[in-house]
Each structure stands twice: as structure tokens, then as C-alpha cells.
Amino acid sequence: LLAFEQLVYPLPMNDLSVPAIYQTIRDEPGDFTMLELPLGWRGSVVLQGKLDDKAQFYQTVHRKRLLGGITSRTPRFKFQYFLELPVINSLIALETGREIDEARLAQDRAAAPEVLRFFNIHYVNVHRALTDPAVLQYARDVFPLEEIYRDETRIVYRVALPPLKDQVVLSDETARLYFDDGWGRVQF
């Protein structure tokens, strides 16, 4: 009876073959980040956004940083940090079924270059089945993307990174990127 209760049949199997594009990205020199869509964070008990569970497995091949992922015992203030960031908060809103208006879209277009530079995002990887079409359209509208790979599951874009700014303007919405917990908020 105990053996029958624990029986799993048929045995669940996953295809873990890694697309060749990840080897190409691995071979690109430098330490940079890949933005995975859907974008999300999962802690022990908290989920923010959505996740492609294979993304971290693929990271073992491309060996680059990921924005998002699964960790244990993530403090709530880390989730709050990402919720307050321009562009990132819009991605999370769209992934959870909310809408953003044209004013927010215009603000995000202005903020996107700084967000991309701050996180050093060189690639955007879209899992087509898990990513809402509104999220994909938003990414195409806001980020300077060039499609470099497509298969039945994924689309990978290279990001045209803008040049670095020489200063941080504390009154800009993007200044929030530089204020982690304990560093305070921008004062006006």
C-alpha cells in the first residue's frame, strides 16, 4: 500500500537540451546580464512576476548573470526594490495582467537606456509560450532590440546598449536604481 501511494507513473520527463544560442552567448567576452521574459523572482514563499523555470538551468551553459530567478529566504525589501524600479515595475504589472497607459510607456522609453546600462543587460530572451503578448510588445516598444535567434520556443534579442552617462541625476525616476534598502529614498 505504501509503495502504491508513492508510485509516480508515467515518470515525468523534461527535455533539457540547450539551444545553441546559449553557447554563442557564453563565448561572448565580458560580464553582463541576460533579461529573461517572463521576468520574475521566487523566494521561499513569495513569487513576484512570472518565471521560466529552465532559465537558471540554461545559465549553467551561458554563464552570464540573470535578472530574476529563484533564491531561498529572499527578504521582502528586495522584492520591493524591483517593484519600485521604472521599466521593471511595468514588466511585472503586464505579466500579472495589469495594463500600463501611454504616459507610463513614454516614461519607460525615456528610462529604459539607464535601466539597461545599470543592469548591464546585453540580451533579452523571450520564452514565447510563457510570455504574454503584451509583455513582448512592451519589450519591443521600449528596448532597442535586434533579433538574433528564433526557434519554436524562444526568441533572443541583442540589446543595443546606449553609452554610459557621466552622472546620476537624483531627481530622475531612474535614480531609484541606486537606492537599495537602508540607503533612503530620493529627496526633493
Side-chain angles (χ1 to χ4, degrees), residues 1-8:
L1 188 61
L2 290 173
F4 179 74
E5 183 177 288
Q6 299 299 317
L7 181 66
V8 177

Side-chain angles (χ1 to χ4, degrees), residues 81 85 113-121 164 174 177-178:
Y81 170 78
L85 294 182
E114 185 64 20
V115 172
L116 293 169
R117 278 191 298 265
F118 181 81
F119 290 111
N120 198 22
I121 297 171
L164 290 171
T174 56
L177 293 163
Y178 299 93

Side-chain angles (χ1 to χ4, degrees), residues 144-159:
L145 302 176
E146 172 195 356
E147 185 177 320
I148 61 166
Y149 177 83
R150 178 186 291 254
D151 65 17
E152 62 278 350
T153 308
R154 304 188 173 278
I155 307 172
V156 179
Y157 296 96
R158 179 176 284 119
V159 176

Side-chain angles (χ1 to χ4, degrees), residues 12-178:
M13 303 291 280
N14 284 318
D15 177 14
L16 294 178
S17 57
V18 180
I21 188 65
Y22 290 108
Q23 294 167 356
T24 302
I25 292 169
R26 177 194 63 214
D27 294 340
E28 183 175 325
D31 180 20
F32 55 84
T33 304
M34 181 180 290
L35 172 63
E36 296 280 343
L37 295 180
L39 174 63
W41 293 265
R42 184 182 308 154
S44 301
V45 294
V46 178
L47 174 64
Q48 178 173 288
K50 292 183 181 178
L51 285 173
D52 173 6
D53 292 330
K54 290 183 181 178
Q56 283 186 260
F57 173 74
Y58 292 153
Q59 187 181 24
T60 64
V61 173
H62 65 69
R63 301 181 186 155
K64 303 301 181 185
R65 297 174 188 263
L66 292 177
L67 185 59
I70 304 168
T71 60
S72 63
R73 299 184 189 99
T74 306
R76 282 205 181 274
F77 69 84
K78 291 295 182 188
F79 289 102
Q80 189 63 33
Y81 170 78
F82 289 105
L83 274 177
E84 293 177 1
L85 294 182
V87 179
I88 304 300
N89 61 13
S90 295
L91 282 168
I92 294 168
L94 289 167
E95 287 176 349
T96 55
R98 295 179 302 215
E99 295 182 11
I100 59 170
D101 59 18
E102 287 298 319
R104 179 79 246 169
L105 186 61
Q107 289 174 325
D108 288 350
R109 280 189 186 116
E114 185 64 20
V115 172
L116 293 169
R117 278 191 298 265
F118 181 81
F119 290 111
N120 198 22
I121 297 171
H122 286 217
Y123 292 93
V124 175
N125 178 22
V126 180
H127 188 289
R128 292 163 53 179
L130 298 176
T131 304
D132 188 285
V135 173
L136 179 55
Q137 188 58 50
Y138 171 86
R140 288 178 180 156
D141 289 344
V142 171
F143 298 132
L145 302 176
E146 172 195 356
E147 185 177 320
I148 61 166
Y149 177 83
R150 178 186 291 254
D151 65 17
E152 62 278 350
T153 308
R154 304 188 173 278
I155 307 172
V156 179
Y157 296 96
R158 179 176 284 119
V159 176
L161 275 177
L164 290 171
K165 286 175 37 177
D166 57 351
Q167 64 182 338
V168 175
V169 178
L170 295 180
S171 60
D172 284 352
E173 184 180 26
T174 56
R176 293 180 184 177
L177 293 163
Y178 299 93

